[in-house]
């Protein structure tokens, strides 16, 4: 265990030290939960290469279709994301008792030429294990990602969400883009 | 001039050869325009490091605020995007007579663990110089990017657009996500 509370032997997808620099959070919490300490046996941290064995893909399958992804494919994808510097902030919560990843959300940073060649960021793939609902963990994950977006110098953070989640995202300051439309073409599932 | 019609001496942000592999286009064109040959003096190609001197940032300022970006900052941003392999497909149209970039649109690819660890892509920052409107160049740029998204193995291509552009994007097969909302937090302009 390194001094900052993150295990030095693990391969993190981004430097966990940045999480300790986050200070501005938006949501209110009950029962002593804080964004960086979401629960007694719960640890918030970057995704690790080792999480293939901690149910990470099974967790994602509660969100959408994942399909068969071998360990080799997972590691290849992880390493490609990590090689893309300053881009994939995949953030998870592990239950250290069961050694299972039980929550995940990703901030993806997109570099721009516009807006003084800064960047924008997006909240993607927010999921909390069914058995851990009602513990404010979705709130924790999104709050951390928005704070991270600010810390990383992004001029905005955006997301796409279903109608029933709009109210939830207003907690953090997200506003529906007036006259803005989301459109897509889907090639396969 | 290399065999494929792209100049070997330029530093492209992505390999131009992929453009020659594109075959599936969606829009209809008049006056002999085709996606890869948008006009007699017009050349569609990846953004180049050399485009700082071809009015690229001035073009972007027709879209939104760009601010002061020095050559050094531009080159730094360009190189960081290029270092992020298989991600930033910034595609431009140059008027080879005036040697000015007069159109630009970007496909950004986002790697995923979901959907068999494939990827999604987004159409971003579509702009055509005011003086070149009505020449089907916006259509050319978006058509090329959608085809590129398919060629790159993305499971979907999406975009955000203003109300008055919704009809334009349906040409390529984009559909408004039913019950999908776009939300954002803006930190600065």
């Amino acid at each position: 265990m390194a001094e900052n509370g993150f295990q030095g032997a693990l391969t993190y997808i981004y430097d966990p030290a940045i999480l300790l620099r986050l200070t501005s959070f938006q949501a209110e919490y009950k029962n002593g939960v804080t964004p960086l300490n979401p629960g007694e046996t719960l640890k918030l941290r970057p995704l690790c290469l080792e999480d293939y064995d901690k149910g990470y893909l099974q967790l994602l399958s509660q969100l959408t279709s994942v399909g068969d992804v071998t360990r080799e494919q997972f590691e290849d994808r992880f390493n490609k994301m990590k090689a893309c510097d300053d881009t994939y902030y995949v953030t998870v919560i592990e239950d250290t008792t069961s050694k299972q990843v039980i929550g995940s959300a990703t901030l993806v940073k997109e570099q721009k030429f516009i807006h003084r060649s800064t960047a924008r960021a997006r909240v993607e793939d927010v999921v909390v294990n069914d058995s851990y609902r009602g513990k404010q963990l979705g709130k924790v994950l999104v709050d951390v990602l928005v704070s991270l977006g600010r810390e990383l110098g992004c001029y905005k953070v955006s997301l796409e969400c279903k109608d029933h989640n709009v109210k939830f995202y207003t907690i953090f300051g997200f506003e529906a883009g007036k006259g803005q439309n989301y459109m897509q073409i889907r090639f396969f599932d």
Side-chain angles (χ1 to χ4, degrees), chain A residues 26-185:
Chain A
Q26 297 298 316
E28 290 179 18
Y29 297 90
K30 294 171 293 189
N31 306 326
V33 165
T34 69
L36 299 182
N37 291 293
E40 209 179 335
T41 66
L42 302 179
K43 176 80 184 163
L44 183 129
R45 58 168 173 77
L47 180 72
C48 290
L49 192 59
E50 295 75 9
D51 286 335
Y52 185 82
D53 293 317
K54 292 186 174 178
Y56 181 61
L57 295 176
Q58 290 72 21
L59 174 68
L60 288 183
S61 71
Q62 289 189 23
L63 177 71
T64 187
S65 88
V66 177
D68 290 330
V69 176
T70 65
R71 178 188 303 270
E72 193 183 0
Q73 287 168 328
F74 174 82
E75 294 186 352
D76 181 59
R77 173 49 33 110
F78 181 100
N79 288 326
K80 281 198 174 117
M81 284 181 174
K82 192 174 159 78
C84 218
D85 191 37
D86 191 24
T87 303
Y88 293 97
Y89 293 87
V90 189
T91 304
V92 303
I93 298 174
E94 178 184 347
D95 186 329
T96 55
T97 306
S98 63
K99 297 194 192 317
Q100 292 291 300
V101 177
I102 55 87
S104 179
T106 299
L107 191 79
V108 183
K109 188 172 165 185
E110 181 196 331
Q111 301 181 58
K112 291 289 196 188
F113 289 106
I114 57 174
H115 298 288
R116 288 178 272 145
S117 293
T118 54
R120 67 180 287 189
R122 293 183 177 84
V123 172
E124 290 281 315
D125 306 332
V126 180
V127 59
V128 172
N129 185 317
D130 283 336
S131 317
Y132 288 78
R133 299 278 165 89
K135 294 179 187 295
Q136 308 167 275
L137 301 180
K139 198 152 78 174
V140 156
L141 286 164
V142 176
D143 215 356
V144 166
L145 294 193
V146 171
S147 185
L148 194 52
R150 188 192 297 268
E151 174 73 21
L152 294 168
C154 298
Y155 66 91
K156 72 176 176 184
V157 176
S158 68
L159 56 82
E160 303 129 25
C161 72
K162 298 247 164 70
D163 289 340
H164 65 269
N165 284 324
V166 167
K167 200 179 161 191
F168 169 70
Y169 285 111
T170 60
I171 297 174
F172 315 97
F174 285 98
E175 293 177 4
K178 224 177 175 175
Q180 280 291 99
N181 300 271
Y182 170 76
M183 301 183 77
Q184 65 174 43
I185 300 172

